PDB file of all heavy atoms in Angstrom:
ATOM      1  N   LYS A  93      17.627  -9.747  13.505  1.00  0.00           N
ATOM      2  CA  LYS A  93      18.790  -8.845  13.620  1.00  0.00           C
ATOM      3  C   LYS A  93      18.465  -7.432  13.461  1.00  0.00           C
ATOM      4  O   LYS A  93      18.907  -6.561  14.233  1.00  0.00           O
ATOM      5  CB  LYS A  93      19.890  -9.289  12.728  1.00  0.00           C
ATOM      6  CG  LYS A  93      21.165  -8.557  12.894  1.00  0.00           C
ATOM      7  CD  LYS A  93      21.826  -9.062  14.180  1.00  0.00           C
ATOM      8  CE  LYS A  93      23.247  -8.507  14.306  1.00  0.00           C
ATOM      9  NZ  LYS A  93      23.800  -8.793  15.719  1.00  0.00           N
ATOM     10  N   VAL A  94      17.600  -7.099  12.395  1.00  0.00           N
ATOM     11  CA  VAL A  94      17.104  -5.744  12.259  1.00  0.00           C
ATOM     12  C   VAL A  94      16.371  -5.278  13.494  1.00  0.00           C
ATOM     13  O   VAL A  94      16.564  -4.120  13.983  1.00  0.00           O
ATOM     14  CB  VAL A  94      16.249  -5.687  10.953  1.00  0.00           C
ATOM     15  CG1 VAL A  94      15.556  -4.359  10.988  1.00  0.00           C
ATOM     16  CG2 VAL A  94      17.078  -5.856   9.766  1.00  0.00           C
ATOM     17  N   ILE A  95      15.522  -6.038  14.062  1.00  0.00           N
ATOM     18  CA  ILE A  95      14.803  -5.747  15.220  1.00  0.00           C
ATOM     19  C   ILE A  95      15.682  -5.529  16.425  1.00  0.00           C
ATOM     20  O   ILE A  95      15.544  -4.640  17.187  1.00  0.00           O
ATOM     21  CB  ILE A  95      13.669  -6.764  15.606  1.00  0.00           C
ATOM     22  CG1 ILE A  95      12.640  -6.763  14.458  1.00  0.00           C
ATOM     23  CG2 ILE A  95      13.089  -6.563  16.915  1.00  0.00           C
ATOM     24  CD1 ILE A  95      11.746  -7.921  14.397  1.00  0.00           C
ATOM     25  N   GLU A  96      16.705  -6.459  16.530  1.00  0.00           N
ATOM     26  CA  GLU A  96      17.738  -6.298  17.618  1.00  0.00           C
ATOM     27  C   GLU A  96      18.514  -4.991  17.563  1.00  0.00           C
ATOM     28  O   GLU A  96      18.673  -4.315  18.684  1.00  0.00           O
ATOM     29  CB  GLU A  96      18.572  -7.465  17.573  1.00  0.00           C
ATOM     30  CG  GLU A  96      19.633  -7.492  18.687  1.00  0.00           C
ATOM     31  CD  GLU A  96      20.722  -8.628  18.410  1.00  0.00           C
ATOM     32  OE1 GLU A  96      20.243  -9.741  18.022  1.00  0.00           O
ATOM     33  OE2 GLU A  96      21.894  -8.365  18.693  1.00  0.00           O
ATOM     34  N   LEU A  97      18.880  -4.605  16.406  1.00  0.00           N
ATOM     35  CA  LEU A  97      19.668  -3.407  16.164  1.00  0.00           C
ATOM     36  C   LEU A  97      18.750  -2.198  16.417  1.00  0.00           C
ATOM     37  O   LEU A  97      19.258  -1.121  16.835  1.00  0.00           O
ATOM     38  CB  LEU A  97      20.252  -3.353  14.800  1.00  0.00           C
ATOM     39  CG  LEU A  97      21.343  -4.421  14.544  1.00  0.00           C
ATOM     40  CD1 LEU A  97      21.744  -4.505  13.091  1.00  0.00           C
ATOM     41  CD2 LEU A  97      22.613  -4.126  15.347  1.00  0.00           C
ATOM     42  N   ASN A  98      17.595  -2.226  16.083  1.00  0.00           N
ATOM     43  CA  ASN A  98      16.637  -1.030  16.251  1.00  0.00           C
ATOM     44  C   ASN A  98      15.283  -1.452  16.562  1.00  0.00           C
ATOM     45  O   ASN A  98      14.451  -1.514  15.607  1.00  0.00           O
ATOM     46  CB  ASN A  98      16.691  -0.187  14.967  1.00  0.00           C
ATOM     47  CG  ASN A  98      16.044   1.134  15.149  1.00  0.00           C
ATOM     48  OD1 ASN A  98      15.488   1.382  16.144  1.00  0.00           O
ATOM     49  ND2 ASN A  98      16.117   1.938  14.161  1.00  0.00           N
ATOM     50  N   PRO A  99      14.904  -1.794  17.841  1.00  0.00           N
ATOM     51  CA  PRO A  99      13.689  -2.292  18.161  1.00  0.00           C
ATOM     52  C   PRO A  99      12.506  -1.182  18.055  1.00  0.00           C
ATOM     53  O   PRO A  99      11.336  -1.649  18.072  1.00  0.00           O
ATOM     54  CB  PRO A  99      13.895  -2.725  19.579  1.00  0.00           C
ATOM     55  CG  PRO A  99      15.051  -2.099  20.089  1.00  0.00           C
ATOM     56  CD  PRO A  99      15.897  -1.728  18.886  1.00  0.00           C
ATOM     57  N   LYS A 100      12.911   0.011  17.802  1.00  0.00           N
ATOM     58  CA  LYS A 100      11.914   1.143  17.696  1.00  0.00           C
ATOM     59  C   LYS A 100      11.491   1.350  16.182  1.00  0.00           C
ATOM     60  O   LYS A 100      10.820   2.252  15.895  1.00  0.00           O
ATOM     61  CB  LYS A 100      12.404   2.411  18.232  1.00  0.00           C
ATOM     62  CG  LYS A 100      12.676   2.305  19.783  1.00  0.00           C
ATOM     63  CD  LYS A 100      11.507   2.579  20.515  1.00  0.00           C
ATOM     64  CE  LYS A 100      11.785   2.612  21.950  1.00  0.00           C
ATOM     65  NZ  LYS A 100      10.711   2.090  22.813  1.00  0.00           N
ATOM     66  N   ASN A 101      12.116   0.545  15.300  1.00  0.00           N
ATOM     67  CA  ASN A 101      11.822   0.732  13.842  1.00  0.00           C
ATOM     68  C   ASN A 101      10.851  -0.383  13.387  1.00  0.00           C
ATOM     69  O   ASN A 101      11.158  -1.565  13.674  1.00  0.00           O
ATOM     70  CB  ASN A 101      13.144   0.606  13.089  1.00  0.00           C
ATOM     71  CG  ASN A 101      12.955   0.900  11.592  1.00  0.00           C
ATOM     72  OD1 ASN A 101      12.028   0.420  10.944  1.00  0.00           O
ATOM     73  ND2 ASN A 101      13.808   1.758  10.939  1.00  0.00           N
ATOM     74  N   GLU A 102       9.727   0.074  12.773  1.00  0.00           N
ATOM     75  CA  GLU A 102       8.586  -0.870  12.443  1.00  0.00           C
ATOM     76  C   GLU A 102       9.062  -1.824  11.323  1.00  0.00           C
ATOM     77  O   GLU A 102       8.411  -2.839  11.070  1.00  0.00           O
ATOM     78  CB  GLU A 102       7.466  -0.141  12.018  1.00  0.00           C
ATOM     79  CG  GLU A 102       7.424   0.627  10.733  1.00  0.00           C
ATOM     80  CD  GLU A 102       8.265   1.872  10.611  1.00  0.00           C
ATOM     81  OE1 GLU A 102       8.625   2.415  11.715  1.00  0.00           O
ATOM     82  OE2 GLU A 102       8.334   2.487   9.544  1.00  0.00           O
ATOM     83  N   VAL A 103      10.046  -1.514  10.438  1.00  0.00           N
ATOM     84  CA  VAL A 103      10.287  -2.270   9.211  1.00  0.00           C
ATOM     85  C   VAL A 103      10.641  -3.706   9.501  1.00  0.00           C
ATOM     86  O   VAL A 103      10.120  -4.655   8.847  1.00  0.00           O
ATOM     87  CB  VAL A 103      11.442  -1.557   8.425  1.00  0.00           C
ATOM     88  CG1 VAL A 103      11.813  -2.360   7.197  1.00  0.00           C
ATOM     89  CG2 VAL A 103      10.905  -0.232   7.870  1.00  0.00           C
ATOM     90  N   GLY A 104      11.520  -3.986  10.539  1.00  0.00           N
ATOM     91  CA  GLY A 104      11.853  -5.419  10.795  1.00  0.00           C
ATOM     92  C   GLY A 104      10.680  -6.155  11.222  1.00  0.00           C
ATOM     93  O   GLY A 104      10.561  -7.336  10.873  1.00  0.00           O
TER      94      GLY A 104
END
Side-chain angles (χ1 to χ4, degrees):
K93 188 68 171 174
V94 169
I95 292 167
E96 180 186 321
L97 291 171
N98 189 354
K100 299 266 187 222
N101 185 313
E102 74 282 353
V103 174

